[in-house]
Amino acid sequence: MTRYAITVLEYAASPKHPTSGVLYGRHNSGSMNLPFAYVLLRGRDTVALVDTGYDQSDFGGEIANTIGVTGWSPPSEVLGAVGIRPDDVQHVFLTHADFDHMGGLAYFPNAKFYIQKREIESWIWALSKGRRFRSLLGGINPTDVLKLVDLGMKNRLVVLDGASHDVLPNIDLLPAFDTHTAGSQYVVVRNGGSLEDRWVLTGDVVYTYENLHGGDRDDPCFVPPGLATGSQTNLILTAEEMLAGVGGDMLRLVPVHEEKLKDHFPSRLSDRGLRITDITTL
Amino acid sequence: MSGFVGAQFRADDPFEGIAPGSAVAEYDIVIGPVVRYLRDVVTDRSVRLLANFIGTSHLGDESKPDAGDSDQVYDVLAAVRVPLQRRHEHHHVKQAAHLLLPTRAAALAPHLRTSEASLLSRAWGHLRRASPVGSGGLIDLRQCCGQLNLGADFLIGASE
């Protein structure tokens, strides 16, 4: 049975992120620390990443600055803290195209990238709509879309059309269409035959555990993320689908913007003060 | 698209706060249309590339930037007086022109082996640093992509 170690690697943070951006409808509720992270999957012969972070030196960095993201570190340092070089990464699963998830394409010269066709098409559609629709585009760096095209021309892009099972042994990419973005997807890692061995890497369909319980664990209520270009209802329904896929165990969902991961899984700080969280090891 | 030389300056162009007649103002006035022309070029080519890539679209506007303007860009770049305060921006204008305008860039060759997407991405990077008075950062691919007539509302289920 192919198994994967799963490690969440923080690469930056937004220390005073508006709570309303994380929890729909939580207006006038102050701010919270929001880690920015990607996920490393390590198998016996495999190094894969879920999302890429962004590049501080390009427009992604400017977007980050405008929303108060600080402490960015390059993948060489973030991955280096766990003994991996960016060159070692063979596969990158892109949950969606927002700058903080897809802005680091160029850092992984040997990787093949996987994204949903609908995600690409929807952003090009949105780009075509003109300035009055620019609120749809606040989260993307347009040149990342060009870079994606470049990868396509170099046969380093796998464009998926819906659910894709076993893209790598025991790894599924499942659509989360019309949720956080039009063509989002999430990653299921099946480390064994039972639900207890299954992990869901949520992308931005779920930012934090509170999106799953609404702050009331005794009487939980789905509260979708505050930022989305798709449907709030679909965000909730996809969160329900994710939970169903792991037998309802919230801790089998891995939201990368969740600061409280460290309360549930072993973690440590890198030399740069960025958190490394081992969700599961081999 | 119309030629840049005849471009009209509007009252809301970002020249406020610069003394009329100063070297900086003169540079900005001369170089502004060049930057806008280069934006048009990179936008036009980006839109075509993206349209071809997704393969489900067609261009609503088949017009291209006037090829004759390329030479004028080089003429302006050669003639303009670059004040110290604009050297950095001017460097990026020249780099963008070198990437985008093949007639004279051909003599410098190395960029020709770069893929179109990579070249355009790099050109965007230069152009957003090249705007006089740092007018807002991002070169607006979004605005110019309005040329695309994708007929593609169905792509995100907007009409479902």
Side-chain angles (χ1 to χ4, degrees), chain A residues 57-59 62 118 120-122 124-125 127-131 137 140 142-143 145-147 149-150 152-153 157 182, chain B residues 46 49-50 53-54 115 117-118 120-121 124 128-129 138 140-143 145-146 148 150 152-153 155-157 160:
Chain A
S57 69
D58 72 8
F59 182 62
E62 291 184 22
R118 194 177 178 115
I120 302 175
E121 291 175 336
S122 67
I124 295 174
W125 170 86
L127 288 164
S128 78
K129 293 295 284 183
R131 281 191 63 76
L137 297 157
I140 72 158
T143 60
V145 182
L146 293 174
K147 289 173 184 171
V149 173
D150 199 39
M153 292 171 173
L157 184 67
Chain B
S46 297
L49 179 76
L50 295 173
F53 183 68
I54 64 173
S115 75
S118 174
L120 292 172
S121 178
W124 278 119
R128 75 185 175 80
R129 292 172 173 86
L138 175 66
D140 209 338
L141 177 61
R142 308 158 188 183
Q143 178 179 15
C145 270
L148 263 181
L150 292 172
D153 283 302
L155 286 176
I156 64 163
E160 286 175 358

Side-chain angles (χ1 to χ4, degrees), chain B residues 91-139:
Chain B
H91 165 76
H92 287 295
V93 178
K94 286 197 299 185
Q95 290 297 313
H98 171 55
L99 287 165
L100 293 170
L101 305 180
T103 49
R104 293 192 190 177
L108 301 169
H111 295 306
L112 295 180
R113 287 193 293 275
T114 304
S115 75
E116 176 78 347
S118 174
L119 182 150
L120 292 172
S121 178
R122 291 167 59 195
W124 278 119
H126 286 297
L127 279 175
R128 75 185 175 80
R129 292 172 173 86
S131 297
V133 207
S135 56
L138 175 66
I139 300 298

